[in-house]
Amino acid sequence: MMVSTMEPENVLVFGSMPKTQMIQSSHLVCSNLSRLTNASVFYSSSPLTLMLPLLLLQLSLGSATILVTFYLLRHFGLPLMLAQVLGGVLLGPSLLCRIPGLLNMIFPIRSFLLMDVVSTMGFMFYFFLVGVQTDIWLLKKITKKSFAIGFFSVAVPMILTLGMSLLWMQFNVNPNEKKKVDRLPEIAKAESLVSFQIVSYYLSELRVINSEIGRVALCASMVSTLCSTCVVTSNILWNQSKDDLSRFFQSICYGIIFAALVCCILGPLLLWEMKHTLGGQPLKQGNLVVLFIAVLMSGFWGHSFGLNIYFGPLLFGLIIPSGPPLGSALVEKLDVITNWVLMPLFFVKFGLAVNIFALSLKTYFKVQFFALLGAFGKFLGASLCALSCQMPQRDAIVLGFFMTFQGVIELDLFRLMKRKQIIGDEAFSAMCLTALIGSGVVALVIPCFYDPSKRYEGYYGRTLAHSRHNSELRVLVCIHEEQNVPSAINVLATLKPTKQSPIAVYMLHMVELMGSATPLLMRQKRPKKLSTRTRGSAPIIDAFKVFEENHDGLVSVSPFISVSPPQTMHEDVFQIALEKGTSLVIIPFYKKFHVGGAVYLSKRSLKIANQNVLDQAPCSVAILVDRGTLKTLHAIWAGWSSSEVAVIFLGGADDQEALALAAKMTGCQNINLTLVRIIYDGDFPDKYMEGIRNDNESLGQFQTNISGNTCAKYWEEVAKDGAGTASVLRTLENQYDILVVGRHHYDTFPLLSGLTESNENKELGIIGDMLASSDFLGNTTILVVQQHTDNSHSE
């Protein structure tokens, strides 16, 4: 027989549920060790009478409920965290557990023992991931503006809620509610706090973390979190010391000693792990196991010091550098099992304590009033301070909304307050429901107020076709990995820099954000001082610097590094394109092809970045399709080897832009340029006449520019339909190193009839997709060009 002590909150929660079978001793639960796992329906015994099968059912039911809730809420743009909280509430006595017999069958009181252990383990690793994903070096980026916004986002709601709670206590005359009213200041403090992790999570889910307002919100929330931590920590320690000042400072000393021990004991272990990962090597399984054991030991040590069991894992996570290589590896290994296996049980256990039917309207509206007052204070403090710092009015309002978000951190604080009997069951349920509803409403409202893409709508005419003839050509080249460098530099090498028309290359290394809650955009001047998060950019920067040195001052290279989620990578691309006034953005295609046209590597996460750039870029875009490396880089740079380039022209604005790009390649002695025009053998409808006139003007100007140039030639082919176009393209077999083609052509164009059905890669257009997946072009690099027009955003 096993006898275990339950936490009082679990017993009280369970006892308050409807139709519950309680035992006489409300603090002891007995289980038969011989009946932990041995049961079967074939032996007339239910598996649910045993602890382990019951735990497995609870885990499965919790994960399934959250998954269904997430799929329902994501259509409204609501993030996973809200689905987790709502799923736990729906599974509790607020909905499903009101079914007669279901509560005692699936969540009997004896099952709370294992639920406590598993949910606590899950929350320990959750706090560890919070620490890993928090970039403490963000403190260096805090400006006076972000500090003021962060400070007043906590100070203003604290003043409003505490002041109102004191007034409420002053005018309360009912002695029966004296004890409840005395707790109002604690509720006021809890509703005034801001969590960096929750704000950064919602910024990422709403895809604004890379925007200017997102960066301000991150720095401000970091300041708010520091202020909130001081308030919460001092409040908890003071309550634990029972108004004894000596015990209060003793608890602080214990915390400082524990933090020093974690840094001194686990710090060397962390340095040893980093030595095995900084060289670009993947983290070995044995090293990961050592780190996981360290997480468990940090929780054990913290609990032994009389601190919260989550403090140790959080502190250990904070000393781990966020992002690649170590932070990314840990998040990749722990994220799924923590959020979808262990944490659902935490939300189930949390949901069992929330019973909306036991909540009186008086208590709910009282708590709702203080919650709304706290949210209003956060909004007021952040928005007014932002306005005083010359931030646009709409951005200031949205920033105020960002600071009102609440999530798992706040819910755990409410749970701790309930466990310490600072608040009762009704107040706890009311605070949780208010946080859930408030965050959901704000998440729905923000997209109506703020759309980052709208700031690019006024930038038209940033194209190669409309650029001045003898002016600096500014190109933004995006790189995902080292394999993109040879093809990108080969394309740049075909352009003709002169003293009258030099080339300014802005190289952006786009690194997918993993293992960190903080994105990064930086200009890198000194590759030797790269951090652990950006160390992999050094070879890429070196390659472009060599390219710059080989052009004797005619080419300038400015390297940038962006570490961000794929959903918001385009924000950094657009920011650089706008600030530097680029006319063209070159971005690698997310698929890699064999020489025969078969796909051998596809990164679906980068497909999102490609599509966002195509849809919203403030200038023209060229997608670089890599089908194999061309000649050696140094041979092309130095002019030792010639390069064959062809432009395929059918008609349309994108083809005109491709022609303008080809015009930049004329005059270079080691570049042989061929313009292939495919002409329709038939009569054009009237709707094409204006576009055809523009095509003829562009072609006439191009022919004038290449007249007398022995390295450039022009020839025409006639076709009646898509089959004829495909036949012309097949004549290009293994003749060219680079093919340039427009992405889109005229709608219902006869030259493309019959080809639209096989267009698998919509990002490349019909002709670009056909060339990329062809088996007759060898290792030809393909450049698909899209001209920036006034309707490029709405595609």
Side-chain angles (χ1 to χ4, degrees):
M1 186 72 67
M2 178 178 65
V3 182
S4 298
T5 303
M6 292 189 62
E7 292 186 5
E9 66 160 322
N10 292 333
V11 179
L12 293 175
V13 166
F14 196 84
S16 63
M17 295 179 188
K19 299 180 182 179
T20 316
Q21 297 175 358
M22 287 292 295
I23 56 177
Q24 291 182 353
S25 176
S26 61
H27 295 281
L28 295 177
V29 174
C30 302
S31 298
N32 192 339
L33 288 175
S34 63
R35 289 178 56 85
L36 288 177
T37 58
N38 296 324
S40 171
V41 292
F42 299 105
Y43 293 96
S44 301
S45 61
S46 173
L48 298 182
T49 61
L50 307 180
M51 297 178 66
L52 183 57
L54 186 59
L55 176 66
L56 297 178
L57 178 63
Q58 292 168 347
L59 288 170
S60 303
L61 190 60
S63 299
T65 304
I66 291 174
L67 184 62
V68 172
T69 308
F70 172 64
Y71 277 117
L72 293 176
L73 292 184
R74 72 173 183 172
H75 296 291
F76 301 97
L78 297 176
L80 173 62
M81 185 177 294
L82 289 176
Q84 290 173 322
V85 178
L86 182 59
V89 172
L90 295 179
L91 196 57
S94 298
L95 184 64
L96 294 180
C97 280
R98 299 197 70 81
I99 300 175
L102 184 63
L103 181 63
N104 289 320
M105 181 176 64
I106 299 180
F107 300 106
I109 194 169
R110 54 186 170 79
S111 68
F112 276 49
L113 299 172
L114 284 182
M115 286 181 64
D116 279 340
V117 174
V118 177
S119 62
T120 301
M121 288 274 292
F123 213 50
M124 278 178 58
F125 278 102
Y126 175 81
F127 266 93
F128 172 68
L129 290 178
V130 168
V132 171
Q133 294 176 310
T134 302
D135 185 9
I136 58 176
W137 297 111
L138 186 65
L139 295 171
K140 297 174 61 177
K141 299 181 181 180
I142 294 176
T143 61
K144 292 181 179 179
K145 178 174 74 172
S146 57
F147 180 84
I149 294 173
F151 175 77
F152 286 106
S153 296
V154 176
V156 173
M158 194 75 70
I159 293 173
L160 289 178
T161 55
L162 282 177
M164 183 58 66
S165 65
L166 293 176
L167 285 176
W168 199 300
M169 293 170 60
Q170 184 70 27
F171 291 99
N172 178 67
V173 295
N174 189 350
N176 296 327
E177 296 186 0
K178 183 77 170 70
K179 183 177 181 181
K180 294 182 179 180
V181 175
D182 286 343
R183 298 300 187 181
L184 286 179
E186 305 299 330
I187 297 177
K189 293 177 187 176
E191 295 292 351
S192 304
L193 306 180
V194 178
S195 170
F196 166 79
Q197 180 64 23
I198 302 303
V199 173
S200 64
Y201 172 82
Y202 279 98
L203 288 173
S204 179
E205 289 292 321
L206 295 174
R207 300 183 181 182
V208 294
I209 195 169
N210 282 42
S211 62
E212 182 180 355
I213 189 174
R215 299 180 194 278
V216 174
L218 280 176
C219 293
S221 62
M222 178 67 79
V223 176
S224 299
T225 300
L226 293 176
C227 297
S228 301
T229 302
C230 294
V231 173
V232 173
T233 303
S234 59
N235 194 43
I236 292 176
L237 294 180
W238 182 254
N239 288 331
Q240 288 180 348
S241 62
K242 298 180 180 179
D243 300 339
D244 188 345
L245 190 61
S246 61
R247 292 185 61 183
F248 174 75
F249 285 106
Q250 185 180 10
S251 299
I252 294 179
C253 292
Y254 284 158
I256 295 174
I257 294 173
F258 173 72
L261 287 176
V262 169
C263 296
C264 294
I265 297 176
L266 299 182
L269 173 65
L270 186 60
L271 292 175
W272 174 77
E273 292 282 357
M274 292 180 62
K275 289 181 180 179
H276 292 77
T277 57
L278 290 183
Q281 303 175 2
L283 200 61
K284 295 180 180 179
Q285 185 175 0
N287 297 342
L288 282 172
V289 172
V290 172
L291 290 176
F292 294 161
I293 294 174
V295 175
L296 300 176
M297 292 305 299
S298 63
F300 170 75
W301 293 335
H303 199 269
S304 301
F305 272 78
L307 304 173
N308 194 295
I309 197 170
Y310 307 129
F311 179 68
L314 175 64
L315 185 61
F316 181 45
L318 286 174
I319 65 176
I320 295 178
S322 61
L326 189 56
S328 300
L330 291 171
V331 172
E332 183 179 3
K333 297 292 183 182
L334 285 174
D335 185 65
V336 173
I337 192 171
T338 299
N339 287 314
W340 287 104
V341 179
L342 300 177
M343 283 298 289
L345 202 58
F346 169 83
F347 291 107
V348 168
K349 184 172 169 246
F350 156 79
L352 290 174
V354 178
N355 187 359
I356 61 175
F357 295 99
L359 180 61
S360 65
L361 290 178
K362 183 177 181 180
T363 302
Y364 175 75
F365 285 119
K366 184 189 299 182
V367 174
Q368 179 78 2
F369 172 75
F370 281 95
L372 290 176
L373 189 62
F376 176 72
K378 297 174 189 177
F379 174 83
L380 195 66
S383 56
L384 289 182
C385 190
L387 286 173
S388 66
C389 296
Q390 309 303 318
M391 182 177 286
Q393 182 178 359
R394 183 175 292 270
D395 290 357
I397 293 174
V398 174
L399 179 61
F401 280 129
F402 283 144
M403 304 303 286
T404 64
F405 279 120
Q406 291 181 313
V408 180
I409 305 297
E410 286 80 7
L411 295 180
D412 187 62
L413 175 62
F414 301 159
R415 188 177 66 88
L416 179 63
M417 294 172 64
K418 178 175 176 292
R419 182 179 178 182
K420 299 293 184 182
Q421 298 182 355
I422 297 175
I423 59 176
D425 294 341
E426 291 188 43
F428 172 75
S429 298
M431 293 172 73
C432 293
L433 288 177
T434 302
L436 177 63
I437 296 172
S439 297
V441 170
V442 172
L444 292 174
V445 168
I446 284 180
C448 301
F449 276 85
Y450 184 71
D451 184 4
S453 64
K454 289 185 177 179
R455 62 180 176 140
Y456 311 117
E457 291 181 350
Y459 294 85
Y460 303 121
R462 302 287 291 279
T463 66
L464 295 172
H466 297 89
S467 60
R468 290 179 295 177
H469 180 62
N470 287 324
S471 61
E472 183 182 50
L473 175 61
R474 299 183 179 184
V475 181
L476 173 58
V477 181
C478 303
I479 301 295
H480 292 151
E481 54 191 1
E482 290 186 42
Q483 288 80 357
N484 302 141
V485 174
S487 296
I489 292 184
N490 277 321
V491 170
L492 293 174
T494 61
L495 303 176
K496 184 188 67 172
T498 62
K499 291 183 179 180
Q500 292 76 23
S501 181
I503 300 177
V505 178
Y506 302 97
M507 190 282 296
L508 177 63
H509 183 203
M510 304 167 69
V511 182
E512 184 175 354
L513 179 67
M514 290 184 63
S516 176
T518 309
L520 173 68
L521 176 63
M522 59 183 297
R523 179 171 181 175
Q524 192 63 48
K525 297 182 179 180
R526 300 177 180 177
K528 293 183 180 180
K529 292 190 176 182
L530 292 172
S531 65
T532 57
R533 297 176 66 184
T534 58
R535 194 175 298 272
S537 303
I540 297 174
I541 296 176
D542 291 340
F544 276 86
K545 285 298 183 181
V546 172
F547 173 70
E548 177 186 31
E549 293 169 1
N550 277 271
H551 282 81
D552 300 326
L554 299 180
V555 175
S556 62
V557 175
S558 301
F560 292 82
I561 302 173
S562 168
V563 183
S564 59
Q567 294 84 355
T568 56
M569 278 183 177
H570 61 284
E571 290 288 341
D572 292 336
V573 176
F574 300 162
Q575 181 177 339
I576 297 175
L578 290 174
E579 290 181 356
K580 304 303 179 183
T582 61
S583 299
L584 181 67
V585 172
I586 300 177
I587 184 169
F589 191 47
Y590 69 95
K591 290 182 180 179
K592 292 187 180 297
F593 296 88
H594 279 297
V595 173
V599 177
Y600 74 91
L601 182 62
S602 178
K603 291 189 174 182
R604 291 289 177 179
S605 60
L606 299 179
K607 179 181 180 180
I608 303 173
N610 282 16
Q611 192 61 56
N612 288 334
V613 171
L614 286 171
D615 290 345
Q616 305 172 29
C619 61
S620 295
V621 180
I623 297 182
L624 183 62
V625 183
D626 188 4
R627 288 172 53 96
T629 307
L630 304 181
K631 304 175 181 68
T632 60
L633 296 177
H634 194 272
I636 293 181
W637 298 346
W640 300 347
S641 174
S642 62
S643 181
E644 301 290 335
V645 181
V647 182
I648 302 172
F649 192 97
L650 279 76
D654 291 350
D655 277 359
Q656 295 169 23
E657 189 71 2
L659 197 62
L661 178 61
K664 302 290 183 179
M665 304 176 183
T666 58
C668 189
Q669 296 181 354
N670 64 323
I671 302 297
N672 297 320
L673 178 65
T674 302
L675 173 60
V676 181
R677 184 185 185 187
I678 303 178
I679 302 176
Y680 174 56
D681 186 11
D683 296 329
F684 281 102
D686 293 338
K687 64 179 181 178
Y688 296 137
M689 302 316 296
E690 182 179 355
I692 292 175
R693 282 195 296 268
N694 294 332
D695 292 341
N696 292 332
E697 290 179 6
S698 300
L699 289 167
Q701 183 65 38
F702 181 80
Q703 289 177 308
T704 302
N705 292 337
I706 66 173
S707 59
N709 188 345
T710 58
C711 295
K713 55 184 179 180
Y714 167 81
W715 56 281
E716 297 178 348
E717 292 286 349
V718 179
K720 293 184 178 181
D721 51 19
T725 302
S727 299
V728 174
L729 296 178
R730 281 197 165 271
T731 63
L732 307 177
E733 181 176 2
N734 290 329
Q735 296 184 38
Y736 300 98
D737 299 311
I738 300 176
L739 283 177
V740 185
V741 63
R743 183 188 178 205
H744 288 138
H745 309 280
Y746 300 118
D747 295 334
T748 63
F749 200 31
L751 289 175
L752 302 177
S753 60
L755 301 179
T756 56
E757 293 79 6
S758 59
N759 186 13
E760 179 182 353
N761 302 298
K762 304 294 183 182
E763 299 89 347
L764 302 179
I766 298 174
I767 301 298
D769 179 46
M770 181 184 298
L771 295 173
S773 57
S774 64
D775 57 356
F776 56 86
L777 288 180
N779 63 348
T780 301
T781 296
I782 300 166
L783 203 62
V784 181
V785 181
Q786 173 184 279
Q787 186 181 64
H788 176 75
T789 58
D790 56 358
N791 60 355
S792 60
H793 295 280
S794 60
E795 185 188 336

